[in-house]
Amino acid sequence: MKNNQFAIRPTDFKDQLKELTEIGFLDKDNEAETNPIQLWISFLSKSFLEAKTSSTFEEELKTYMATPEQNLGEYLDSATHVSVAAFYNVALQLLKFNPDVDFSFSEPLEAMKKIQLMIADHNGDSFTVDELKSAWYWLLATHNKVGQTYLDSLASKGYFTKFYGKITKPLLFNGKTLPVFDPHELIREVVYVESPQDSDHDGKRDLLKAEILRPRETENGLKVPVLYTASPYNQGTNDETGERLTHNVNVPLKHKTPNKLQYSDIEYHGDNQTIPEPRTTNGETKRAEQTFSRESSYTLNDYFLARGFAVIYMSGIGTKDSDGFRTTGDPEETISTVSIIKWLTGQLPAFTNRTDNIEIKAWWSNKKVAMTGRSYLGTLATAAASTGVSGLKTVISEAAISSWYDYYRDGGLVIAPGGFPGEDADVLAEETFSRRLQPGDFHNIKNQWDDQVKAIADGQDRTTGDYNTFWDARNYHKDFKNITADVFMVHGLNDWNVKPRNVERLWNGIKHNGVTQKIILHQGQHIYINAFRSIDYNDIINLWLTHELLGVENQAKEIIHNVIVQDNTQPENWTAHQDWSSNDNNQIKYNLSYDKLVTNSVSETTQSFQDHLDQTTFDNYAKHNDTWEHDLVAADEKLASNQLIYKTAPLDDDLTIDGKVNVNLKVSSSDNIGLLSFQLIDYGTAKRLTVSPTLLAKNSLAETYDWREDDLREFTSAAPTPFKMITKGHLNLQNRENNYKVDELKPNVFYNIGVELQPTFYKLLKGHQLGLIVYATDFGMTVRGNQNIKYTVQTNDSSLVVPIFTN
Amino acid sequence: MKNNQFAIRPTDFKDQLKELTEIGFLDKDNEAETNPIQLWISFLSKSFLEAKTSSTFEEELKTYMATPEQNLGEYLDSATHVSVAAFYNVALQLLKFNPDVDFSFSEPLEAMKKIQLMIADHNGDSFTVDELKSAWYWLLATHNKVGQTYLDSLASKGYFTKFYGKITKPLLFNGKTLPVFDPHELIREVVYVESPQDSDHDGKRDLLKAEILRPRETENGLKVPVLYTASPYNQGTNDETGERLTHNVNVPLKHKTPNKLQYSDIEYHGDNQTIPEPRTTNGETKRAEQTFSRESSYTLNDYFLARGFAVIYMSGIGTKDSDGFRTTGDPEETISTVSIIKWLTGQLPAFTNRTDNIEIKAWWSNKKVAMTGRSYLGTLATAAASTGVSGLKTVISEAAISSWYDYYRDGGLVIAPGGFPGEDADVLAEETFSRRLQPGDFHNIKNQWDDQVKAIADGQDRTTGDYNTFWDARNYHKDFKNITADVFMVHGLNDWNVKPRNVERLWNGIKHNGVTQKIILHQGQHIYINAFRSIDYNDIINLWLTHELLGVENQAKEIIHNVIVQDNTQPENWTAHQDWSSNDNNQIKYNLSYDKLVTNSVSETTQSFQDHLDQTTFDNYAKHNDTWEHDLVAADEKLASNQLIYKTAPLDDDLTIDGKVNVNLKVSSSDNIGLLSFQLIDYGTAKRLTVSPTLLAKNSLAETYDWREDDLREFTSAAPTPFKMITKGHLNLQNRENNYKVDELKPNVFYNIGVELQPTFYKLLKGHQLGLIVYATDFGMTVRGNQNIKYTVQTNDSSLVVPIFTN
């Protein structure tokens, strides 16, 4: 059991007293108290919110132990000083730690240190009155066993309801905003933003529906910032019709005609479509005409709704109640995404409905916006940032795509997002095209939509897998230079849906923009991390947004580490670093020698493998990708002739890979086509983290009192496993130079290739072996032609280059 | 896609009008309307709650299609009649069915029939005004695609908030209560009931904490009924210390000394402990002194909290904030459980705190109580019913234990609840002993608690597995005769945690009590079914409780079928029956012939199997019970000498097993010990239901507007499997007569045994084979001694007797 808090703000004593007073822990009755016992009782009585009388309060005191032999009631009756040990014995209980499991009453400070909880300064064995005030301050800021600060746990019991309706500005504690806004009094309103585009070509600018939740206090003049989540899924999805479009991946790899294409030949330059004139405004109002009962919400946003932030969800072009067509990430979608930010900052109009042209302004907005959300949502945040739109102060892009080619393609191959073979840009467009869910609307645009889907299918070009103008239009790297918003990235090092290259290119692509950039790399797949026990993610984002959107000088940029990485070798361990995947990292070059990875020179050899499988084995692997994945790494005999495996000797010391591993091969194919896949493996039996977070307690994380809840989760240790895949990569042998130019591939001729595997941060423990598997068909990601191709590697002209982390 | 609604109440037209008026769909503006189009518009305008102006309303109309070519706006502008087809086209869209997937605009009535949705009476192709009123009534009562009636979906959008604070009695629709009570205005209070027992022997009657949620309207004189959930888990659990007590099951089966015990020798007669005098009351109040912010709630209760019911959670003896010790289901726990019912009906006092003896009465109670909850919670409901306590009108016992021997033991063997090898009564007592979570309280009783755990461990007697006085004290069958409450049972036919015998004995044990009994048998394991899409469980329970607790004459007892069973062969299919597992069912007797089950006579043979496995295989199965389970049924070669398998010929017709299958064997053991296990198998490749329900949409089921939510779930079809276990059973060969008398077992001597397998309701499809597997060690449930024992079956003196369902 270990807590990791990265968002605690160093606060001097004077400010501690001020904040304790503002939130009501110090008041005229206790601020001059000279008896530390009486002061402690006063703090406790303000915290035991469920006890409404002195009898119930005193009964509750008796349920805590202060020393190994005395309960808290007895202690307070008899002691003259507040001993540090007694204080932290009680603190640990208030924080829900368990004496039978987590600590001992005889050594509370030992447990505090072990769990990584802050112990307040003290000069002796007992707290002075001032030390006690400070200790109470830090206790309020400390995380409990179930993923919340003690103060937030009090909030969930109703501590801050006394502030409801009396607030004229956000209330802060330790640099973070507090839940003093009644979430049941939120104003929910819909507006239609007029976006400067006509993506459905109906001759009118697209109107885009936005769902707004803002504190009631805005009606009395409070200006608030906005957390904006652009989610194409939020108005519903077409799972069945999307599924029908899913492509068959049991198709052969095809020969591509060589060409001499240069980047300028396929570069996207925008379209020259003229945009219809804006609507003529018919008047203006401050009142919306439409509301909504329940948005499809992100629990991180829910947390901020009680803390004085407005939240907006907008689904964009081609979704229910909006105009336009889905495009899967092209510039039209980016224009759609930023339009609400332009409305919030007074640069675009919105209307109360789709008919009357009555304008409604964001008169309650403080003109500062952050974007939140994961996956496609985070992608659109990245896209929005790449426009440099003013008002967008920061994006929190979680598991975000930074180039759609890196999502659906790789190295001249169609490469599926992990778990979704056959998905592509056209499928995603259809799935998110929620205008279909309103048959009265859909009826009028059905044929145009069919054309649009076909155009996307043509553009994405599953035949070659090459980078082309379609993908260039969906590559945000090109506009990284425009990013002026601070960027907070979150990505899973085991995310094989949106692969880590997407975030690594963003991380390394904006280093010279002059913006602040932060990144958290966790051990999950494609998940949210805002309800984990072992890291104070909500607090970190609170500190961040309080600075970015409220302009509070809380030192967020200095306090939050640039890089926070979750350790892959033990649970609940997060470490801070200065950088990730730096070009300055040292490298180890391994040579390939028979089945080994060695650092000395090697003799001349070739090794071969084939790609074909008997039909039964093929069918089984095609159906059960997990079985294939296991058999591949386990070197199952069924795949003995279908792969080459190279391993280092057992490592003498821990080895941490930091960045992009490169594979260099001299290789031939027996045909005029060829694809290669690579996996880097950690071989060595060890307890590893569970693949998905374990659900610790359903609905146990309250965002505040009587409001929405989240499920507490954590990565825990699973049963020992003999290996784990670290990272992977793919290449079409006809794309040896780049992803758009097609090279000739002559059968049985050796070519040099270089493949950059997905970036990672991975610690191999001493005694483990680093392994490289070279194979062809990747049942989870590539096409599966089951073709009769033999690949031969000239091992002495091949190598593996591994960037390493050094402290 | 198929809906099953069992709680629709036939309602005559006059009552329909009355109810439509009460909920506001008919009012003085539209009740005399003669134009059906205008009336329909009026209904729609009252339903489109998000549209606040005529423009937004008209825009919304246009998003629906009324005919294959006309949207609803166009239709309402041009039509003179409301065609039945247009009405149901729109109805299907309002119910969230999808024209691309679920229905066609040219044949809406076909879809209504296929999905099993009610079509209102009509004489022509168009609705008259009266027919339209009735059609709207039935639409409101109809379930949508996401598990709610249309009216409840309107409630979740805020339809009933206009009634908040103006209610003096529950508001009904179609025999069920509506969510007209503001859940954010609930009063939350704690009382301490003085229970007539002293289970921790401290010389004082046990005080038991109860958490009460009641509508604010009770403050103005409304008397309300109570849903009471007795949950030992609700105040927290001791997972770690419980885990430490878990027993090793890799231990040998031991020889038991034969005895001549009769039931009277082991019968439990109660203890003669004297109970301390009640506390002297020091005064009385109507106001509680303690509150709580968030109870650990059952979402079914949450649903009723907005509907005018109070909800109480009480954890009972030995839990946090209460006195006493955990006992795991003995009469002390039953006394603890019913004490709150006695308080609610004025038969016992409660106090505002644990110190001052100030009495507080349940002055807001209408003195009618129902109990809810699953597993241990349902068990305590059954236990409470078996006391005949007055005021308890009904129990809804879900997945409930009816005799703890049937939970932790079977046939003279220690038999674990599925998935929990090594758990026992002592482990459960420790896990639920949440007084440990309050160290100040626990400190004073630690030693006594250690003694109590030891006493339970002694009493449960893992050495013999025999039924004894300890288990007799925990057998509610003995008191079934006292049950006067109506009993609503719910149980999973695949529940191997609380096995179906528990509910079958309750079902068949109270048939002569003169109470009403209902049962729903689903295809799940140990789960709740109140958030399923295909059955209207919440509505059923609403109809039931509205009758039982509010005394409304809504014909609940007649409308709700006695037996509702979920079909195991296809999703979303629930059927109604008169009885389950009746003694009158026809039977088929199969004889054992080599590897076959036959109905003709057979020749004399013996067949043998052993129990021992090589250590590697044993260790693997001990660690991976699922692998063992699969290999057993798949007849994997590793188990070839460890089992006998008998199968029928492929069935000529479907065969439905209804009740308790019996296995009769003539068998010998090579040792003076022996245990036999049996599994009945459905052999035949078919798509079967998923083992656990599929999560369809997280948090999508709103209990009412801006209130708690549940996850929508459903059993779906999984990939085809070659077999499925139907039911199982176990016997210690030294308990051939009964569970308490130990018989001699001579090595290699043949004995006749009869084993009743767990009751079931299971349909085998035509072409499938019914199979019986005879084996010894059950890796998931029995002890695992890996002993060298050989079992021999005299097959010609053995048989399988199968009760069958005939329409």
Side-chain angles (χ1 to χ4, degrees), chain B residues 108-145:
Chain B
L109 298 193
E110 287 307 302
M112 293 288 293
K113 286 172 202 156
K114 187 162 158 268
I115 306 170
Q116 301 189 153
L117 307 177
M118 187 191 275
I119 300 167
D121 290 341
H122 53 279
N123 276 319
D125 290 341
S126 299
F127 282 126
T128 66
V129 161
D130 279 353
E131 284 171 351
L132 182 64
K133 289 174 183 171
S134 188
W136 192 259
Y137 179 92
W138 291 120
L139 172 61
L140 292 172
T142 298
H143 259 232
N144 63 18
K145 192 177 178 177

Side-chain angles (χ1 to χ4, degrees), chain B residues 213-240:
Chain B
L213 300 110
R214 57 181 167 90
R216 175 75 51 182
E217 285 77 355
T218 52
E219 294 284 308
N220 301 323
L222 182 70
K223 304 285 189 202
V224 296
V226 171
L227 300 193
Y228 162 38
T229 299
S231 169
Y233 306 112
N234 257 41
Q235 298 291 317
T237 52
N238 306 312
D239 299 346
E240 293 95 342

Side-chain angles (χ1 to χ4, degrees), chain B residues 398-592:
Chain B
E398 305 192 51
I401 296 165
S402 70
S403 168
W404 286 82
Y405 189 85
D406 291 340
Y407 186 63
Y408 283 125
R409 302 286 184 273
D410 192 10
L413 292 170
V414 173
I415 294 291
F420 299 96
E423 197 193 292
D424 215 325
D426 56 343
V427 178
L428 186 57
E430 171 59 37
E431 279 181 353
T432 55
F433 179 63
S434 47
R435 288 183 75 175
R436 183 188 287 279
L437 297 175
Q438 290 186 322
D441 177 30
F442 178 60
H443 180 71
N444 301 322
I445 51 169
K446 186 175 183 322
N447 293 339
Q448 296 94 304
W449 173 245
D450 289 345
D451 292 345
Q452 172 82 356
V453 171
K454 196 177 169 313
I456 295 175
D458 289 347
Q460 72 195 9
D461 177 20
R462 288 182 69 85
T463 317
T464 71
D466 290 336
Y467 188 89
N468 60 17
T469 308
F470 177 90
W471 297 111
D472 199 50
R474 288 158 177 81
N475 183 351
Y476 310 121
H477 304 162
K478 298 170 61 179
D479 296 317
F480 280 171
K481 60 184 179 304
N482 302 329
I483 291 180
T484 54
D486 292 331
V487 183
F488 200 117
M489 301 164 222
V490 180
H491 214 100
L493 290 164
N494 290 299
D495 190 343
W496 301 106
N497 182 329
V498 177
K499 303 179 190 78
R501 175 172 297 152
N502 285 280
V503 72
E504 197 267 353
R505 293 203 173 165
L506 179 59
W507 176 254
N508 275 318
I510 58 172
K511 279 186 175 163
H512 303 293
N513 284 37
V515 302
T516 302
Q517 58 188 96
K518 306 284 179 188
I519 189 167
I520 298 179
L521 295 167
H522 59 83
Q523 291 298 330
Q525 299 180 326
H526 195 58
I527 57 163
Y528 281 119
I529 62 163
N530 65 314
F532 273 41
R533 182 171 74 180
S534 68
I535 185 167
D536 57 341
Y537 184 72
N538 280 2
D539 301 352
I540 293 172
I541 300 302
N542 191 332
L543 192 76
W544 180 255
L545 293 181
T546 298
H547 175 75
E548 293 277 349
L549 301 188
L550 294 171
V552 174
E553 289 302 332
N554 61 5
Q555 294 81 50
K557 292 187 174 182
E558 296 74 36
I559 292 167
I560 301 168
H561 295 285
N562 289 342
V563 178
I564 298 174
V565 183
Q566 185 181 16
D567 185 357
N568 61 288
T569 65
Q570 51 176 308
E572 302 171 346
N573 199 31
W574 300 77
T575 54
H577 306 282
Q578 271 310 309
D579 200 357
W580 172 52
S581 191
S582 160
N583 284 332
D584 301 335
N585 281 345
N586 292 336
Q587 297 180 332
I588 302 178
K589 183 181 171 195
Y590 292 102
N591 297 315
L592 279 49

